[in-house]
Coordinates of all heavy atoms in Angstrom, one line a residue:
M1 N 0.8 -1.2 0.0 CA 0.0 0.0 0.0 C 0.9 1.2 0.0 O 1.9 1.3 0.7 CB -0.9 0.0 1.2 CG -1.8 1.2 1.3 SD -2.6 1.1 2.9 CE -3.2 2.8 2.9
F2 N 0.6 2.2 -0.9 CA 1.3 3.5 -0.9 C 0.3 4.6 -0.7 O -0.7 4.7 -1.4 CB 2.0 3.6 -2.3 CG 2.9 4.7 -2.4 CD1 4.3 4.5 -2.3 CD2 2.5 6.0 -2.6 CE1 5.2 5.5 -2.4 CE2 3.4 7.1 -2.7 CZ 4.8 6.8 -2.6
E3 N 0.6 5.4 0.3 CA -0.4 6.4 0.7 C 0.3 7.6 1.2 O 1.5 7.6 1.6 CB -1.4 5.9 1.8 CG -2.8 5.6 1.3 CD -3.6 6.8 0.9 OE1 -3.1 7.9 1.1 OE2 -4.7 6.6 0.5
L4 N -0.4 8.7 1.3 CA 0.1 9.9 1.9 C 0.4 9.6 3.4 O -0.2 8.7 4.0 CB -0.9 11.0 1.9 CG -1.2 11.6 0.4 CD1 -2.4 12.5 0.5 CD2 0.1 12.2 -0.1
P5 N 1.4 10.2 4.0 CA 1.9 9.8 5.3 C 0.9 9.6 6.4 O 0.9 8.6 7.1 CB 2.9 10.9 5.7 CG 3.5 11.3 4.3 CD 2.3 11.3 3.4
A6 N 0.0 10.6 6.5 CA -1.0 10.5 7.6 C -1.9 9.3 7.4 O -2.3 8.5 8.4 CB -1.9 11.7 7.7
V7 N -2.3 9.0 6.2 CA -3.2 7.9 5.9 C -2.4 6.6 6.0 O -2.9 5.6 6.6 CB -3.8 8.0 4.5 CG1 -4.8 6.9 4.2 CG2 -4.5 9.3 4.3
A8 N -1.2 6.6 5.6 CA -0.3 5.4 5.7 C -0.2 5.0 7.2 O -0.2 3.8 7.5 CB 1.0 5.7 5.1
Q9 N 0.0 6.0 8.1 CA 0.1 5.7 9.5 C -1.2 5.0 10.0 O -1.1 4.1 10.8 CB 0.5 6.9 10.3 CG 0.7 6.7 11.8 CD 1.9 5.7 12.0 OE1 3.0 6.0 11.5 NE2 1.6 4.6 12.6
T10 N -2.3 5.6 9.7 CA -3.6 5.0 10.1 C -3.7 3.6 9.6 O -4.1 2.7 10.3 CB -4.8 5.9 9.6 OG1 -4.6 7.2 10.1 CG2 -6.1 5.3 9.9
A11 N -3.3 3.4 8.3 CA -3.4 2.0 7.8 C -2.5 1.1 8.5 O -2.9 0.0 8.8 CB -3.1 2.1 6.3
Q12 N -1.3 1.6 8.8 CA -0.3 0.7 9.5 C -0.9 0.3 10.9 O -0.8 -0.8 11.3 CB 1.0 1.5 9.7 CG 2.1 0.7 10.2 CD 3.2 0.5 9.1 OE1 3.6 1.5 8.5 NE2 3.6 -0.7 8.9
D13 N -1.5 1.3 11.5 CA -2.1 1.0 12.9 C -3.2 -0.1 12.7 O -3.3 -1.0 13.5 CB -2.6 2.3 13.5 CG -1.5 3.3 13.8 OD1 -0.3 2.9 13.8 OD2 -1.8 4.4 14.0
R14 N -4.0 0.1 11.7 CA -5.2 -0.8 11.6 C -4.7 -2.2 11.2 O -5.2 -3.2 11.7 CB -6.1 -0.3 10.5 CG -6.9 1.0 10.9 CD -7.9 0.8 12.0 NE -8.9 -0.1 11.6 CZ -10.0 0.2 10.9 NH1 -10.2 1.5 10.6 NH2 -10.9 -0.7 10.6
I15 N -3.7 -2.2 10.3 CA -3.2 -3.5 9.9 C -2.5 -4.3 11.1 O -2.8 -5.4 11.3 CB -2.1 -3.3 8.7 CG1 -2.9 -2.9 7.5 CG2 -1.3 -4.5 8.5 CD1 -2.0 -2.3 6.4
A16 N -1.8 -3.5 11.9 CA -1.1 -4.1 13.1 C -2.2 -4.6 14.0 O -2.1 -5.6 14.7 CB -0.2 -3.1 13.7
S17 N -3.3 -3.9 14.2 CA -4.3 -4.2 15.1 C -5.0 -5.5 14.8 O -5.6 -6.2 15.7 CB -5.4 -3.1 15.3 OG -6.2 -3.1 14.2
V18 N -4.9 -5.9 13.6 CA -5.5 -7.2 13.2 C -4.4 -8.3 12.8 O -4.7 -9.3 12.3 CB -6.5 -7.1 12.0 CG1 -7.8 -6.3 12.5 CG2 -5.9 -6.5 10.8
G19 N -3.2 -7.9 13.2 CA -2.1 -8.9 13.1 C -1.7 -9.2 11.7 O -1.1 -10.3 11.4
L20 N -1.9 -8.3 10.7 CA -1.5 -8.6 9.3 C -0.2 -7.8 8.9 O 0.1 -7.8 7.7 CB -2.7 -8.2 8.4 CG -3.9 -9.1 8.5 CD1 -5.0 -8.6 7.6 CD2 -3.6 -10.5 8.2
E21 N 0.5 -7.3 9.9 CA 1.7 -6.5 9.5 C 2.7 -7.3 8.7 O 3.5 -6.7 8.0 CB 2.3 -5.8 10.7 CG 2.8 -6.7 11.8 CD 1.8 -7.0 12.8 OE1 0.6 -7.1 12.5 OE2 2.1 -7.3 14.0
G22 N 2.8 -8.6 8.9 CA 3.8 -9.4 8.1 C 3.3 -9.6 6.7 O 4.1 -10.2 5.9
R23 N 2.1 -9.3 6.3 CA 1.6 -9.6 5.0 C 1.4 -8.4 4.1 O 1.2 -8.6 2.9 CB 0.3 -10.4 5.2 CG 0.5 -11.7 5.8 CD -0.8 -12.5 6.0 NE -1.4 -12.7 4.7 CZ -2.6 -13.2 4.5 NH1 -3.4 -13.6 5.6 NH2 -3.1 -13.4 3.3
I24 N 1.4 -7.2 4.7 CA 1.0 -6.0 3.9 C 2.1 -5.0 4.2 O 2.4 -4.6 5.3 CB -0.3 -5.4 4.4 CG1 -1.4 -6.5 4.2 CG2 -0.6 -4.2 3.6 CD1 -2.8 -6.1 4.7
D25 N 2.8 -4.6 3.1 CA 3.8 -3.5 3.2 C 3.0 -2.2 3.0 O 2.2 -2.0 2.2 CB 4.8 -3.6 2.0 CG 5.6 -4.9 2.1 OD1 5.7 -5.4 3.2 OD2 6.1 -5.3 1.0
V26 N 3.4 -1.2 3.9 CA 2.8 0.1 3.8 C 4.0 1.1 3.6 O 4.9 1.2 4.3 CB 2.1 0.5 5.1 CG1 1.5 1.9 5.0 CG2 1.0 -0.5 5.4
C27 N 3.8 1.9 2.5 CA 4.8 2.9 2.1 C 4.2 4.2 2.2 O 3.1 4.4 1.7 CB 5.3 2.7 0.7 SG 6.0 1.0 0.4
A28 N 4.8 5.2 2.9 CA 4.3 6.5 3.0 C 5.0 7.4 2.0 O 6.2 7.4 1.8 CB 4.5 7.1 4.4
G29 N 4.2 8.2 1.3 CA 4.8 9.2 0.4 C 3.7 9.8 -0.5 O 2.5 9.5 -0.4
D30 N 4.2 10.7 -1.4 CA 3.3 11.4 -2.4 C 3.5 10.6 -3.7 O 4.7 10.7 -4.2 CB 3.8 12.8 -2.5 CG 3.0 13.6 -3.5 OD1 2.3 13.0 -4.4 OD2 3.1 14.8 -3.5
A31 N 2.5 10.0 -4.1 CA 2.6 9.2 -5.4 C 3.0 10.0 -6.6 O 3.4 9.5 -7.6 CB 1.3 8.4 -5.6
G32 N 2.8 11.3 -6.5 CA 3.1 12.2 -7.6 C 4.5 12.7 -7.6 O 5.0 13.2 -8.6
A33 N 5.2 12.4 -6.5 CA 6.6 13.0 -6.4 C 7.6 12.1 -5.8 O 8.8 12.2 -6.2 CB 6.5 14.3 -5.5
D34 N 7.3 11.3 -4.9 CA 8.3 10.5 -4.2 C 8.5 9.2 -4.9 O 7.7 8.7 -5.7 CB 7.8 10.1 -2.8 CG 7.7 11.4 -1.9 OD1 8.6 12.2 -2.0 OD2 6.8 11.5 -1.1
P35 N 9.7 8.6 -4.7 CA 10.0 7.3 -5.4 C 9.0 6.2 -5.0 O 8.6 6.1 -3.9 CB 11.4 6.9 -4.8 CG 12.0 8.2 -4.3 CD 10.8 9.0 -3.8
L36 N 8.5 5.5 -6.0 CA 7.6 4.4 -5.8 C 8.4 3.1 -5.5 O 9.5 3.0 -6.0 CB 6.8 4.2 -7.0 CG 5.9 5.3 -7.5 CD1 5.1 5.0 -8.7 CD2 4.9 5.8 -6.4
P37 N 7.9 2.3 -4.7 CA 8.6 1.0 -4.3 C 8.8 0.1 -5.5 O 7.8 0.0 -6.3 CB 7.8 0.4 -3.2 CG 6.4 1.0 -3.4 CD 6.6 2.3 -4.0
A38 N 9.9 -0.4 -5.7 CA 10.2 -1.2 -6.9 C 10.1 -2.7 -6.6 O 10.1 -3.2 -5.4 CB 11.7 -1.0 -7.3
G39 N 9.8 -3.5 -7.7 CA 9.9 -4.9 -7.6 C 8.6 -5.6 -7.4 O 8.6 -6.9 -7.4
Y40 N 7.5 -4.9 -7.2 CA 6.2 -5.6 -7.1 C 5.7 -6.0 -8.4 O 6.0 -5.5 -9.5 CB 5.2 -4.6 -6.4 CG 5.6 -4.4 -4.9 CD1 6.4 -3.3 -4.6 CD2 5.1 -5.3 -3.9 CE1 6.7 -3.1 -3.2 CE2 5.4 -5.0 -2.6 CZ 6.2 -4.0 -2.3 OH 6.6 -3.8 -1.0
D41 N 4.9 -7.1 -8.4 CA 4.4 -7.6 -9.7 C 3.0 -7.3 -10.0 O 2.4 -7.8 -10.9 CB 4.7 -9.2 -9.8 CG 3.9 -9.9 -8.7 OD1 3.1 -9.3 -7.9 OD2 4.2 -11.1 -8.6
A42 N 2.3 -6.5 -9.1 CA 1.0 -6.0 -9.4 C 0.8 -4.7 -8.7 O 1.3 -4.4 -7.6 CB -0.1 -7.0 -8.8
F43 N 0.1 -3.8 -9.4 CA -0.1 -2.4 -9.0 C -1.6 -2.2 -9.1 O -2.2 -2.3 -10.2 CB 0.7 -1.4 -9.8 CG 2.2 -1.6 -9.6 CD1 2.9 -2.6 -10.3 CD2 2.8 -0.7 -8.7 CE1 4.2 -2.7 -10.1 CE2 4.2 -0.9 -8.5 CZ 4.9 -1.9 -9.2
L44 N -2.2 -1.8 -8.1 CA -3.6 -1.4 -8.1 C -3.7 0.1 -7.8 O -3.4 0.5 -6.7 CB -4.4 -2.2 -7.1 CG -5.9 -1.8 -6.8 CD1 -6.7 -1.8 -8.0 CD2 -6.5 -2.6 -5.7
V45 N -4.2 0.9 -8.7 CA -4.4 2.3 -8.5 C -5.9 2.4 -8.3 O -6.7 2.4 -9.2 CB -3.9 3.1 -9.8 CG1 -4.1 4.6 -9.5 CG2 -2.4 2.8 -10.1
A46 N -6.2 2.6 -7.0 CA -7.7 2.5 -6.7 C -8.2 3.9 -6.3 O -7.8 4.5 -5.3 CB -7.9 1.5 -5.5
N47 N -9.1 4.4 -7.0 CA -9.9 5.6 -6.7 C -9.0 6.8 -6.5 O -9.2 7.6 -5.6 CB -10.8 5.3 -5.5 CG -11.8 4.2 -5.8 OD1 -12.5 4.3 -6.7 ND2 -11.7 3.1 -5.0
L48 N -8.0 6.9 -7.3 CA -7.1 8.0 -7.3 C -7.1 8.8 -8.6 O -7.1 10.0 -8.6 CB -5.6 7.6 -7.1 CG -4.6 8.6 -7.0 CD1 -4.8 9.5 -5.7 CD2 -3.2 8.0 -6.9
A49 N -7.3 8.1 -9.7 CA -7.2 8.7 -11.0 C -8.2 9.9 -11.2 O -7.9 10.9 -11.8 CB -7.4 7.7 -12.1
H50 N -9.4 9.7 -10.6 CA -10.4 10.8 -10.8 C -10.0 12.1 -10.1 O -10.6 13.1 -10.5 CB -11.8 10.3 -10.4 CG -11.9 10.1 -8.9 ND1 -11.6 9.0 -8.3 CD2 -12.4 11.0 -7.9 CE1 -11.8 9.1 -7.0 NE2 -12.3 10.3 -6.7
Y51 N -9.1 12.0 -9.2 CA -8.7 13.3 -8.5 C -7.7 14.0 -9.4 O -7.5 15.2 -9.2 CB -7.9 12.9 -7.2 CG -8.7 12.6 -6.0 CD1 -8.4 11.4 -5.3 CD2 -9.7 13.5 -5.5 CE1 -9.1 11.1 -4.2 CE2 -10.4 13.1 -4.4 CZ -10.1 12.0 -3.7 OH -10.8 11.7 -2.6
W52 N -7.0 13.3 -10.2 CA -5.8 13.9 -10.9 C -6.1 14.2 -12.3 O -7.0 13.7 -13.0 CB -4.7 12.9 -10.8 CG -4.0 12.8 -9.5 CD1 -4.4 13.5 -8.3 CD2 -2.8 12.1 -9.1 NE1 -3.6 13.2 -7.3 CE2 -2.6 12.4 -7.7 CE3 -2.0 11.3 -9.8 CZ2 -1.5 11.8 -7.1 CZ3 -0.9 10.8 -9.1 CH2 -0.6 11.0 -7.8
S53 N -5.3 15.1 -12.9 CA -5.4 15.5 -14.3 C -4.9 14.4 -15.2 O -4.1 13.5 -14.7 CB -4.6 16.8 -14.5 OG -3.2 16.4 -14.5
P54 N -5.2 14.4 -16.5 CA -4.7 13.4 -17.4 C -3.1 13.4 -17.4 O -2.5 12.4 -17.4 CB -5.2 13.9 -18.8 CG -6.5 14.6 -18.4 CD -6.2 15.3 -17.1
E55 N -2.5 14.6 -17.3 CA -1.1 14.7 -17.2 C -0.5 14.0 -16.0 O 0.5 13.3 -16.0 CB -0.6 16.1 -17.3 CG -0.9 16.8 -18.6 CD -2.4 17.2 -18.8 OE1 -3.1 17.3 -17.8 OE2 -2.8 17.3 -19.9
Q56 N -1.1 14.3 -14.8 CA -0.7 13.6 -13.6 C -0.8 12.1 -13.7 O 0.0 11.3 -13.2 CB -1.5 14.2 -12.4 CG -1.1 15.6 -12.0 CD -2.0 16.0 -10.9 OE1 -3.3 16.1 -11.1 NE2 -1.5 16.4 -9.8
N57 N -2.0 11.7 -14.2 CA -2.2 10.2 -14.3 C -1.2 9.6 -15.3 O -0.7 8.5 -15.0 CB -3.6 9.9 -14.8 CG -4.6 10.1 -13.6 OD1 -4.4 9.5 -12.6 ND2 -5.7 10.9 -13.8
R58 N -0.9 10.2 -16.4 CA 0.0 9.7 -17.4 C 1.4 9.6 -16.7 O 2.1 8.6 -16.8 CB 0.2 10.6 -18.6 CG -0.6 10.0 -19.8 CD -0.3 10.7 -21.1 NE -0.6 12.1 -21.1 CZ -1.8 12.6 -21.4 NH1 -2.8 11.7 -21.7 NH2 -2.0 13.9 -21.3
A59 N 1.8 10.6 -15.9 CA 3.1 10.6 -15.3 C 3.1 9.5 -14.2 O 4.1 8.8 -14.1 CB 3.3 12.0 -14.6
L60 N 2.0 9.3 -13.5 CA 2.0 8.2 -12.5 C 2.2 6.8 -13.2 O 2.9 6.0 -12.7 CB 0.7 8.2 -11.7 CG 0.5 7.1 -10.7 CD1 1.6 7.1 -9.6 CD2 -0.8 7.2 -10.0
L61 N 1.5 6.6 -14.3 CA 1.5 5.3 -15.0 C 3.0 5.1 -15.5 O 3.5 4.0 -15.5 CB 0.5 5.3 -16.1 CG -0.9 5.3 -15.6 CD1 -1.9 5.3 -16.7 CD2 -1.2 4.2 -14.6
H62 N 3.6 6.1 -16.0 CA 5.0 6.0 -16.4 C 5.9 5.6 -15.3 O 6.8 4.8 -15.4 CB 5.5 7.3 -17.1 CG 5.0 7.5 -18.5 ND1 5.5 6.7 -19.5 CD2 4.2 8.3 -19.1 CE1 4.9 7.1 -20.7 NE2 4.1 8.1 -20.4
R63 N 5.7 6.3 -14.1 CA 6.5 6.0 -13.0 C 6.3 4.6 -12.4 O 7.2 3.9 -12.0 CB 6.3 7.1 -11.9 CG 6.7 8.5 -12.4 CD 6.4 9.6 -11.4 NE 7.2 9.5 -10.3 CZ 6.7 9.3 -9.0 NH1 5.5 9.3 -8.8 NH2 7.6 9.2 -8.0
I64 N 5.1 4.1 -12.5 CA 4.8 2.7 -12.1 C 5.5 1.8 -13.1 O 6.2 0.8 -12.6 CB 3.3 2.4 -12.1 CG1 2.6 3.2 -10.9 CG2 3.0 0.9 -12.0 CD1 1.1 3.1 -10.9
R65 N 5.4 2.1 -14.4 CA 6.1 1.2 -15.3 C 7.6 1.1 -15.1 O 8.2 0.1 -15.2 CB 5.8 1.7 -16.8 CG 6.4 0.7 -17.8 CD 6.1 1.1 -19.2 NE 6.7 2.4 -19.5 CZ 6.4 3.2 -20.5 NH1 5.5 2.8 -21.4 NH2 7.0 4.3 -20.7
D66 N 8.2 2.3 -14.7 CA 9.6 2.3 -14.4 C 10.0 1.4 -13.2 O 11.2 0.9 -13.2 CB 10.0 3.7 -14.1 CG 10.0 4.7 -15.3 OD1 9.9 4.1 -16.4 OD2 10.0 5.9 -15.1
V67 N 9.1 1.2 -12.3 CA 9.5 0.4 -11.1 C 8.9 -1.0 -11.1 O 9.3 -1.9 -10.3 CB 9.2 1.1 -9.8 CG1 9.9 2.4 -9.6 CG2 7.7 1.3 -9.6
A68 N 8.0 -1.3 -12.1 CA 7.3 -2.6 -12.1 C 8.3 -3.7 -12.5 O 9.1 -3.5 -13.3 CB 6.2 -2.5 -13.0
A69 N 8.1 -4.9 -11.9 CA 8.8 -6.1 -12.3 C 8.4 -6.4 -13.7 O 7.2 -6.2 -14.1 CB 8.5 -7.2 -11.3
P70 N 9.2 -7.1 -14.4 CA 8.8 -7.5 -15.8 C 7.6 -8.4 -15.7 O 7.5 -9.3 -14.9 CB 10.0 -8.3 -16.3 CG 11.2 -7.8 -15.5 CD 10.6 -7.4 -14.1
G71 N 6.6 -8.1 -16.6 CA 5.4 -8.9 -16.6 C 4.4 -8.5 -15.6 O 3.4 -9.1 -15.4
A72 N 4.7 -7.4 -14.9 CA 3.7 -7.0 -13.8 C 2.4 -6.6 -14.3 O 2.2 -6.3 -15.5 CB 4.3 -5.8 -13.1
T73 N 1.4 -6.7 -13.5 CA 0.0 -6.4 -13.8 C -0.4 -5.0 -13.2 O -0.1 -4.7 -12.1 CB -1.0 -7.5 -13.2 OG1 -0.6 -8.7 -13.8 CG2 -2.4 -7.2 -13.5
L74 N -1.1 -4.2 -14.0 CA -1.6 -3.0 -13.6 C -3.1 -3.0 -13.6 O -3.8 -3.4 -14.6 CB -1.2 -1.8 -14.5 CG -1.9 -0.5 -14.3 CD1 -1.4 0.1 -13.0 CD2 -1.5 0.5 -15.5
L75 N -3.7 -2.7 -12.5 CA -5.2 -2.6 -12.4 C -5.6 -1.2 -12.0 O -4.9 -0.6 -11.1 CB -5.7 -3.6 -11.3 CG -5.4 -5.1 -11.5 CD1 -4.3 -5.5 -10.5 CD2 -6.6 -5.9 -11.4
I76 N -6.6 -0.7 -12.6 CA -7.1 0.7 -12.3 C -8.5 0.5 -11.9 O -9.3 0.1 -12.8 CB -6.9 1.7 -13.4 CG1 -5.4 1.8 -13.8 CG2 -7.4 3.1 -13.0 CD1 -5.1 2.6 -15.0
A77 N -8.9 0.9 -10.7 CA -10.3 0.9 -10.3 C -10.7 2.3 -9.9 O -10.0 2.9 -9.1 CB -10.4 0.0 -9.0
D78 N -11.7 2.8 -10.6 CA -12.1 4.1 -10.3 C -13.5 4.4 -10.9 O -14.1 3.5 -11.5 CB -11.1 5.1 -11.0 CG -10.8 6.3 -10.1 OD1 -11.8 7.0 -9.7 OD2 -9.7 6.7 -9.8
F79 N -14.0 5.6 -10.8 CA -15.2 6.0 -11.4 C -14.9 7.3 -12.1 O -14.0 8.0 -11.8 CB -16.3 6.1 -10.4 CG -16.1 7.1 -9.4 CD1 -16.5 8.4 -9.5 CD2 -15.5 6.7 -8.2 CE1 -16.3 9.4 -8.5 CE2 -15.3 7.6 -7.1 CZ -15.6 9.0 -7.3
W80 N -15.7 7.6 -13.1 CA -15.5 8.8 -13.9 C -16.6 9.8 -13.7 O -17.7 9.5 -13.6 CB -15.4 8.4 -15.4 CG -14.5 7.2 -15.6 CD1 -14.9 6.0 -16.0 CD2 -13.1 7.1 -15.3 NE1 -13.7 5.1 -15.9 CE2 -12.7 5.8 -15.5 CE3 -12.2 8.1 -14.8 CZ2 -11.4 5.4 -15.3 CZ3 -10.9 7.7 -14.6 CH2 -10.5 6.4 -14.9
T81 N -16.2 11.0 -13.6 CA -17.1 12.1 -13.3 C -17.4 12.9 -14.6 O -16.7 12.9 -15.6 CB -16.6 13.0 -12.2 OG1 -15.4 13.7 -12.7 CG2 -16.2 12.3 -11.0
D82 N -18.5 13.8 -14.4 CA -18.7 14.8 -15.5 C -17.6 15.9 -15.3 O -16.9 15.8 -14.4 CB -20.1 15.3 -15.4 CG -20.4 16.2 -14.2 OD1 -19.4 16.3 -13.4 OD2 -21.5 16.6 -14.0
P83 N -17.6 16.8 -16.3 CA -16.5 17.8 -16.2 C -16.5 18.7 -14.9 O -15.5 19.2 -14.6 CB -16.7 18.6 -17.5 CG -17.4 17.7 -18.4 CD -18.3 16.9 -17.5
T84 N -17.6 18.7 -14.3 CA -17.7 19.5 -13.0 C -17.2 18.7 -11.8 O -17.1 19.3 -10.7 CB -19.1 20.0 -12.8 OG1 -19.9 18.9 -12.4 CG2 -19.7 20.7 -14.0
H85 N -17.0 17.5 -12.0 CA -16.6 16.6 -10.9 C -17.6 16.5 -9.7 O -17.3 16.3 -8.6 CB -15.2 16.9 -10.3 CG -14.2 16.9 -11.3 ND1 -13.7 15.8 -11.9 CD2 -13.4 17.9 -11.8 CE1 -12.8 16.0 -12.8 NE2 -12.6 17.3 -12.8
T86 N -18.9 16.8 -10.1 CA -19.9 16.8 -9.1 C -20.9 15.6 -9.2 O -21.7 15.3 -8.3 CB -20.8 18.1 -9.1 OG1 -21.4 18.2 -10.4 CG2 -19.9 19.3 -8.8
S87 N -20.8 14.9 -10.3 CA -21.6 13.7 -10.5 C -20.9 12.8 -11.5 O -20.0 13.2 -12.2 CB -23.0 14.0 -11.0 OG -23.0 14.6 -12.2
R88 N -21.3 11.5 -11.4 CA -20.7 10.5 -12.3 C -21.1 10.8 -13.7 O -22.2 11.3 -14.0 CB -21.1 9.1 -11.9 CG -20.6 8.8 -10.5 CD -20.9 7.4 -10.1 NE -20.3 7.1 -8.8 CZ -19.8 6.0 -8.4 NH1 -19.8 5.0 -9.2 NH2 -19.2 5.9 -7.2
S89 N -20.1 10.5 -14.6 CA -20.5 10.6 -16.0 C -21.5 9.6 -16.4 O -21.5 8.5 -15.9 CB -19.2 10.5 -16.9 OG -18.6 9.3 -16.7
R90 N -22.3 9.9 -17.4 CA -23.3 9.0 -17.9 C -22.7 8.2 -19.1 O -21.9 8.8 -19.9 CB -24.5 9.8 -18.4 CG -25.2 10.5 -17.3 CD -26.3 11.4 -17.9 NE -26.7 12.4 -16.9 CZ -27.8 12.2 -16.2 NH1 -28.6 11.2 -16.4 NH2 -28.2 13.1 -15.3
P91 N -23.1 7.0 -19.2 CA -22.7 6.2 -20.4 C -23.1 6.9 -21.7 O -24.2 7.5 -21.7 CB -23.3 4.8 -20.3 CG -24.0 4.8 -18.9 CD -24.0 6.2 -18.4
P92 N -22.4 6.8 -22.8 CA -22.8 7.5 -24.0 C -24.1 6.9 -24.6 O -24.4 5.7 -24.3 CB -21.6 7.2 -25.0 CG -20.8 6.1 -24.4 CD -21.1 6.1 -22.9
Ligands
LIG101 C1 -10.9 8.1 -2.7 S1 -9.5 7.6 -1.7 C2 -9.2 5.9 -2.1 C3 -8.6 5.1 -1.0 C4 -8.3 3.7 -1.4 N1 -7.3 3.6 -2.4 C5 -9.5 3.0 -1.9 O1 -9.7 2.7 -3.0 O2 -10.4 2.7 -1.0 C6 -8.1 8.4 -2.5 C7 -6.9 8.2 -1.7 O3 -5.8 8.8 -2.4 C8 -4.9 9.2 -1.5 N2 -4.0 10.2 -2.2 C9 -4.3 11.4 -2.7 N3 -3.3 12.0 -3.2 C10 -2.2 11.1 -3.0 C11 -0.8 11.2 -3.3 N4 -0.3 12.3 -3.9 N5 0.0 10.2 -3.0 C12 -0.6 9.1 -2.4 N6 -1.9 9.0 -2.1 C13 -2.7 10.0 -2.4 C14 -5.7 9.9 -0.4 O4 -5.0 9.9 0.8 C15 -6.9 8.9 -0.3 O5 -6.7 7.9 0.7

């Protein structure tokens, strides 16, 4: 898990409280600026893309590709909004 520091700390605390700290790595940082952890074979970008501009998202995907293990899987889970970001976009 890669999250902003305050959220990462909360996650770390919750993970430890249920005894899963040996199974889940938590990395604190800014996904738009800080080095991403290398060597993982799957990346899930969950509910972040809709916050960011196309340029920020492209840059993030390039940075993930730079650190991904060969053959790694990328999953993007998100929802799309209308241009005002106040409601979900409608299917065409
Ligand atoms: C809508 S929440 C989704 C949380 C979780 N990924 C999920 O799908 O349930 C968006 C998350 O992106 C995190 N976030 C926003 N900007 C970020 C950044 N620059 N680097 C890392 N995480 C960021 C926020 O802290 C927030 O937890």
